[in-house]
Amino acid sequence: MLLRAPFEDLLDSVLPARCPGCGRRGAIVCSSCASRLKAAPAAAPPDPVAWWTACFAYEGVARELVARAKYRNVRRFLVVIAGELAGALDAAPARFDVITWAPASTQRIRAHGVDHGELLARAVGRITRSPVARCLIRAPGPAQTGLDVRARRAGPLLRAMGPGAGATVLVVDDVAPTGGTLAAAARALQGAGTRTVFAATIARTPGPGARRAPAAYTPPTPAGTRAEKSRS
């Protein structure tokens, strides 16, 4: 069952939430609809991302959760999603130095007044007590939503602005239908000296021909050693 943040109880006493699955008031996601959420299907991380986790399959209630947070500016749903995403990071094969996000298009930020990717990354950072920084800048261009598959796989044009040579960076995003944005983020970061890029998304939709099992992860450390995992 999805957890509620304490301040959500106060908010909902004034303006009760409606479950995105059934419309019932009084719960961000009711227990019945939460029980029908499906785990994210297995898929290999898009090259050059080294490891990728996702919470849910992009369908049903999970799809509506993302839509309400991303397109309808219902930010309370980000609290639920951030908690789930933070929990998924327990499976990370090594520690990461900083969390960043895949920046939204200028048009989307202008329309909503905020980059929801940044809100999500900072919420995950608070929960995991991890540093969060803006490491990617997006060049002007259309949003990925609505583009054809080839354009989406190419990803947006991104430029890295940190975090420094040799770092391991976790990129947070909402949904990865093709993995194009994650791959573009990883290319930009590694081109600027980042050592390893991990990714975490709310939902995942494997593309055609995607592998049905996660790719093995090999830490970029000398043989016989493994990077220490921490959450400080």
Side-chain angles (χ1 to χ4, degrees), residues 186-205:
R187 289 193 299 268
L189 289 165
Q190 291 191 337
T194 294
R195 185 182 192 182
T196 308
V197 178
F198 295 159
T201 58
I202 299 166
R204 175 161 58 204
T205 304

Side-chain angles (χ1 to χ4, degrees), residues 51-54 85-94 96 198 217 226 229 231:
W51 176 81
W52 177 21
T53 188
L85 203 55
L89 294 176
D90 288 341
F96 45 85
F198 295 159
Y217 171 76
R226 185 181 180 89
K229 179 182 175 183
R231 195 62 69 218

Side-chain angles (χ1 to χ4, degrees), residues 165-225:
T168 295
V169 179
L170 173 70
V171 178
V172 171
D173 202 1
D174 45 28
V175 183
T178 64
T181 297
L182 298 178
R187 289 193 299 268
L189 289 165
Q190 291 191 337
T194 294
R195 185 182 192 182
T196 308
V197 178
F198 295 159
T201 58
I202 299 166
R204 175 161 58 204
T205 304
R211 290 167 54 180
R212 303 312 299 175
Y217 171 76
T218 303
T221 54
T225 66

Side-chain angles (χ1 to χ4, degrees), residues 41-229:
D47 186 60
V49 176
W51 176 81
W52 177 21
T53 188
C55 296
F56 309 116
Y58 190 47
E59 60 181 51
V61 178
R63 188 182 185 107
E64 184 63 18
L65 268 172
V66 172
R68 291 191 183 193
K70 184 174 180 178
Y71 301 113
R72 303 175 203 169
N73 219 21
V74 185
R75 299 183 193 180
R76 69 178 66 181
F77 288 109
L78 289 174
V79 176
V80 174
I81 294 169
E84 295 295 307
L85 203 55
L89 294 176
D90 288 341
R95 70 175 295 273
F96 45 85
D97 300 297
V98 65
I99 299 174
T100 194
W101 62 93
S105 65
T106 302
Q107 299 96 311
R108 180 161 294 150
I109 295 174
R110 186 180 297 119
H112 297 285
V114 68
D115 188 333
H116 292 92
E118 179 178 0
L119 293 180
L120 180 62
R122 295 197 182 281
V124 172
R126 285 193 296 271
I127 295 170
T128 61
R129 299 182 180 180
S130 302
V132 180
R134 184 189 302 274
C135 298
L136 294 162
I137 296 176
R138 183 167 180 158
Q144 291 290 94
T145 304
L147 298 180
D148 60 34
V149 173
R150 179 177 296 181
R152 296 187 73 163
R153 285 179 178 165
L157 182 59
L158 301 174
R159 176 171 62 86
M161 48 181 290
T168 295
V169 179
L170 173 70
V171 178
V172 171
D173 202 1
D174 45 28
V175 183
T178 64
T181 297
L182 298 178
R187 289 193 299 268
L189 289 165
Q190 291 191 337
T194 294
R195 185 182 192 182
T196 308
V197 178
F198 295 159
T201 58
I202 299 166
R204 175 161 58 204
T205 304
R211 290 167 54 180
R212 303 312 299 175
Y217 171 76
T218 303
T221 54
T225 66
R226 185 181 180 89
E228 180 184 359
K229 179 182 175 183

